[in-house]
Amino acid sequence: MSIQTQPGRVTAPQIRARKGGEPIVSLTSYHAHTARIIDPFVDFILVGDSLGMVMHGLETTIPVTLDMMILQGHAVMRGSSHALIVVDMPFGSYEESREQAFRNAARVMKETGCGAVKLEGGERMADTIRFLTERGVPVMGHVGLTPQSIMALGSFKAQGREEKDWGPIERDARAVADAGAFAIVLEAVAEPLGARITREVAVPTIGIGASPACDGQILVLEDMLGLSERVPKFVRKFGSLADHIREAVAAYAGEVRARSFPAPENTYAMKKG
């Protein structure tokens, strides 16, 4: 069963047209209730494969499956009505061939109703991105630190900290843009490199640990709300919800043990007569 995208949503071409304009605001979401809360404030919501780490306690995003992404994509679509919804293609769902990528991307879009997909990789994925976009699949690129390549990279470390390493990352960004991606996530790259790539490419850059010069920014919602125990350097905590949750749960537990909850107003009396 597919979900039809509601009219009035932000579209991939509208995000593309924001290059050099008002900064693009984005956050991740994996649930209907958080999507409903953030939807009025953001331009696009990313259903990221980071859900494997945030929701399931996995060490990496590698074990995340296509079915997991579709399930959470459904939820975010149901909870939102304004933002463009972008769903991550998980590891192993698009690298084998252009045809595999199209088949799985088409499934994601049909079954969730999302407006775009995101996939990682630069020059090596350019042909696949071109194949998808020529067949009606809006694609957001992702270069710099690519978490799905963590086994090859060895650690979640910032990229381009030395100028001699800039060339491949710049080529990746240009290749993705030239292949037809409507925007590119730049993750954990040296600030001057993030600013330079933003000037060089014709599509919006979405920074996450990149540069304030990027055309937009994204963070993992749970990180910026203070729900995650460990966060990267590039995260600023705009809230401290973990503390509020602990206080609320402690208050609840105390009242249950004291038999002060449920109170009379929380219970149902017998009907009279």
Side-chain angles (χ1 to χ4, degrees):
M1 178 180 176
S2 65
I3 299 174
Q4 297 300 313
T5 302
Q6 295 98 322
R9 279 191 185 271
V10 176
T11 65
Q14 287 172 331
I15 295 293
R16 168 68 178 80
R18 294 273 292 274
K19 175 68 180 180
E22 180 183 2
I24 299 162
V25 179
S26 178
L27 287 166
T28 65
S29 174
Y30 323 113
H31 328 86
H33 63 279
T34 55
R36 188 171 295 113
I37 292 168
I38 69 175
D39 187 52
F41 304 100
V42 299
D43 300 301
F44 75 88
I45 296 173
L46 175 65
V47 185
D49 61 357
S50 50
L51 66 85
M53 303 169 78
V54 175
M55 292 182 63
H56 298 280
L58 299 171
E59 289 296 319
T60 73
T61 62
I62 302 300
V64 174
T65 67
L66 198 65
D67 286 338
M68 291 167 70
M69 298 308 306
I70 289 172
L71 180 65
Q72 305 313 140
H74 266 298
V76 171
M77 284 294 298
R78 286 194 293 269
S80 60
S81 60
H82 158 72
L84 169 69
I85 306 303
V86 182
V87 177
D88 258 341
M89 299 293 292
F91 178 73
S93 68
Y94 61 92
E95 297 93 336
E96 181 180 337
S97 67
R98 303 179 307 175
E99 290 76 16
Q100 180 209 30
F102 178 77
R103 184 166 57 251
N104 287 329
R107 182 186 168 202
V108 168
M109 295 187 72
K110 283 184 175 183
E111 295 187 24
T112 69
C114 71
V117 299
K118 180 173 77 64
L119 54 83
E120 296 182 5
E123 287 185 299
R124 65 183 176 84
M125 295 309 305
D127 185 52
T128 295
I129 293 170
R130 183 173 292 104
F131 189 84
L132 295 180
T133 58
E134 288 175 349
R135 286 156 180 79
V137 178
V139 177
M140 178 175 287
H142 185 150
V143 303
L145 173 60
T146 49
Q148 292 177 12
S149 302
I150 187 60
M151 298 304 182
L153 293 173
S155 66
F156 293 104
K157 61 183 178 182
Q159 305 294 299
R161 299 290 296 274
E162 297 184 50
E163 194 167 351
K164 65 180 178 61
D165 298 325
W166 286 14
I169 303 172
E170 290 182 88
R171 289 194 296 273
D172 280 344
R174 286 195 296 267
V176 167
D178 292 345
F182 69 91
I184 306 170
V185 171
L186 297 181
E187 180 167 357
V189 299
E191 194 282 328
L193 176 59
R196 178 164 166 162
I197 290 173
T198 299
R199 292 192 300 269
E200 288 180 347
V201 298
V203 302
T205 57
I206 310 298
I208 178 167
S211 169
C214 289
D215 298 292
Q217 301 293 330
I218 186 169
L219 285 175
V220 171
L221 180 64
E222 285 77 0
D223 289 353
M224 58 87 71
L225 290 178
L227 286 169
S228 303
E229 291 185 6
R230 295 180 298 167
V231 298
K233 175 185 178 180
F234 56 72
V235 172
R236 176 181 297 173
K237 293 186 179 182
F238 288 83
S240 55
L241 292 196
D243 293 336
H244 294 306
I245 291 171
R246 289 189 193 96
E247 291 170 6
V249 173
Y252 164 72
E255 292 196 17
V256 169
R257 292 182 178 120
R259 296 192 181 278
S260 58
F261 176 84
E265 63 269 23
N266 307 121
T267 59
Y268 298 94
M270 292 289 292
K271 290 184 177 180
K272 295 182 179 179

